[in-house]
């Protein structure tokens, strides 16, 4: 194949078993250097030792300078570094000093299959989906839900995911599903919601944004990492400060806009091109970098 997708040891074994080496290896990762052909990396953001907003899981517990060195070697040896967001692209350029033309933003898309469309009256239901509730800002969601329930009769926010080190008790307007739900039920919740709430403290490139937009559910989110690029406010929803009052007000506005807000959100998703557009950017960029024959 002209390009081979690599993922860790399994990818290495696949390369070794090919009768002919590929033109390039496309690898998701930040420190490993694929062998057997020129390689390109895909990343949602590098380790930045000077950024205090990074969550603990993005920070090496030990040997941080060694880890940074491994990452720098991997990035600088790649023929291309593909980032999911412009935020991540700027990070790679700033931390590792690569030439701008070698770092390409490709965007990202949803995971899983969308819930089938329905033709039913909407109700004031809002959703917040994701584990690690501290990072996802579920405490902000719960307080915004309380404010929203005072202004919109019957309003309820359902938070789904494994809480991690921050549990948020149920309260006025907020109900938590702490064990998670089957994927199909999560997608149905996103489809039925008047808006998806994502007031995160840090979230590099959350797939759930596109899972909402593809079914016409607008998004209320905070301006962290690559999130604003995906939401495309005000078309795809609202970007608000990390304040429950602002979150509640945005939810109320989107509820009142009704189907107009949903049509705009769907248009944002259609314009993004989804994963197909990401793949086209990768293909075209690698063909140019390696001067290989075009892939039909």
């Amino acid at each position: 194949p002209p390009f081979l997708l690599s993922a860790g040891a399994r990818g290495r074994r696949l390369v070794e078993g090919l009768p002919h080496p590929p033109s390039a290896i496309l690898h998701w990762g930040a420190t490993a250097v694929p062998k057997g052909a020129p390689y390109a990396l895909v990343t949602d953001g590098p380790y930045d030792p000077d950024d205090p907003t990074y969550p603990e899981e993005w920070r090496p517990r030990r040997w941080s300078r060694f880890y940074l060195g491994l990452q720098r070697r991997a990035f600088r040896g790649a023929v291309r570094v593909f980032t999911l967001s412009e935020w991540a692209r700027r990070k790679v350029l700033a931390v590792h000093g690569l030439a701008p033309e070698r770092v390409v933003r490709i965007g990202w898309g949803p995971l899983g299959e969308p819930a089938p469309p329905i033709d039913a009256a909407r109700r004031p239901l809002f959703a917040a989906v994701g584990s690690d509730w501290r990072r996802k800002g579920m405490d902000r969601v719960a307080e915004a839900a309380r404010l929203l329930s005072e202004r919109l009769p019957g309003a309820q926010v359902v938070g789904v995911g494994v809480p991690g080190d921050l549990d948020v008790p149920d309260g006025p307007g907020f109900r938590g599903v702490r064990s998670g739900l089957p994927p199909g039920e999560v997608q149905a919740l996103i489809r039925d919601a008047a808006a998806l709430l994502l007031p995160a403290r840090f979230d590099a490139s959350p797939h759930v944004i596109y899972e909402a937009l593809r079914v016409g559910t607008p998004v209320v989110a905070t301006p962290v990492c690559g999130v604003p690029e995906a939401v495309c406010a005000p078309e795809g929803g609202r970007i608000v400060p990390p304040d429950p009052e602002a979150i509640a007000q945005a939810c109320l506005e989107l509820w009142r806009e009704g189907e107009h807000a949903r049509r705009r959100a769907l248009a944002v998703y259609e314009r993004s091109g989804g994963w197909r557009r990401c793949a086209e950017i990768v293909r075209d960029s690698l063909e140019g970098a390696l001067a290989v024959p075009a892939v039909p």
Side-chain angles (χ1 to χ4, degrees), residues 246-269:
I247 298 166
Q249 181 60 34
C251 289
L252 189 59
E253 291 174 3
L254 291 170
W255 168 254
R256 289 171 175 167
E257 291 176 12
E259 289 303 312
H260 294 292
R262 302 190 74 87
R263 284 195 293 270
R264 291 198 305 268
L266 187 59
V268 168
Y269 178 72

Side-chain angles (χ1 to χ4, degrees), residues 2-296:
F3 310 129
L4 180 69
L5 181 63
S6 166
R10 184 177 181 183
R12 289 194 295 272
R13 290 194 297 270
L14 182 58
V15 172
E16 293 167 356
L18 291 173
H20 305 288
S23 299
I25 298 171
L26 183 62
H27 181 75
W28 174 274
T31 57
V33 176
K35 297 179 180 179
Y39 69 91
L41 297 179
V42 183
T43 178
D44 58 356
Y47 166 53
D48 182 353
D50 298 323
D51 191 334
T53 68
Y54 273 35
E56 186 174 344
E57 61 266 28
W58 279 53
R59 294 176 173 272
R61 294 179 182 272
R62 301 176 61 190
W63 316 111
S64 59
R65 290 175 63 87
F66 176 70
Y67 181 87
L68 183 64
L70 288 177
Q71 191 175 82
R72 182 159 293 162
R73 181 189 66 157
F75 281 136
R76 290 184 174 178
V79 294
R80 286 289 185 272
V81 175
F82 297 110
T83 66
L84 302 192
S85 67
E86 182 60 29
W87 169 83
R89 180 177 182 272
R90 291 194 299 267
K91 282 284 187 186
V92 171
L93 294 175
V95 174
H96 296 297
L98 274 64
E101 63 272 14
R102 291 178 56 202
V103 186
V104 180
R105 177 196 181 273
I106 62 173
W108 73 99
L111 298 179
E113 294 297 321
I118 58 171
D119 184 15
R122 298 285 176 183
R123 56 195 176 99
L125 173 69
F126 300 81
V129 176
S131 296
D132 188 359
W133 283 8
R134 184 182 305 279
R135 184 167 60 86
K136 294 289 185 179
M138 199 67 78
D139 51 334
R140 298 167 176 171
V141 169
E143 178 58 18
R146 183 186 68 80
L147 297 172
L148 185 61
S149 68
E150 295 173 354
R151 304 169 192 179
L152 181 60
Q156 184 179 55
V157 180
V158 178
V160 178
V162 179
D165 67 352
L166 174 68
D167 196 1
V168 179
D170 290 359
F174 177 77
R175 180 172 67 89
V177 182
R178 294 163 182 80
S179 59
L181 290 171
E185 293 184 30
V186 173
Q187 296 302 324
L189 173 65
I190 292 172
R191 174 203 61 197
D192 295 345
L196 174 79
L197 279 59
L198 187 64
R201 292 176 170 86
F202 185 97
D203 216 342
S205 43
H207 299 287
V208 71
I209 292 177
Y210 284 114
E211 291 167 16
L213 295 175
R214 72 178 170 184
V215 292
T217 299
V219 179
V220 177
T222 42
V224 297
C225 308
V227 168
E229 303 171 36
V231 175
C232 295
E235 292 174 272
R238 300 288 191 275
I239 296 295
V240 298
D243 170 51
E245 172 65 37
I247 298 166
Q249 181 60 34
C251 289
L252 189 59
E253 291 174 3
L254 291 170
W255 168 254
R256 289 171 175 167
E257 291 176 12
E259 289 303 312
H260 294 292
R262 302 190 74 87
R263 284 195 293 270
R264 291 198 305 268
L266 187 59
V268 168
Y269 178 72
E270 292 174 345
R271 191 168 66 240
S272 76
W275 287 116
R276 176 177 291 275
R277 179 57 182 152
C278 300
E280 290 170 349
I281 296 172
V282 169
R283 178 199 63 195
D284 294 346
S285 181
L286 284 180
E287 286 174 353
L290 300 168
V292 298
V295 179

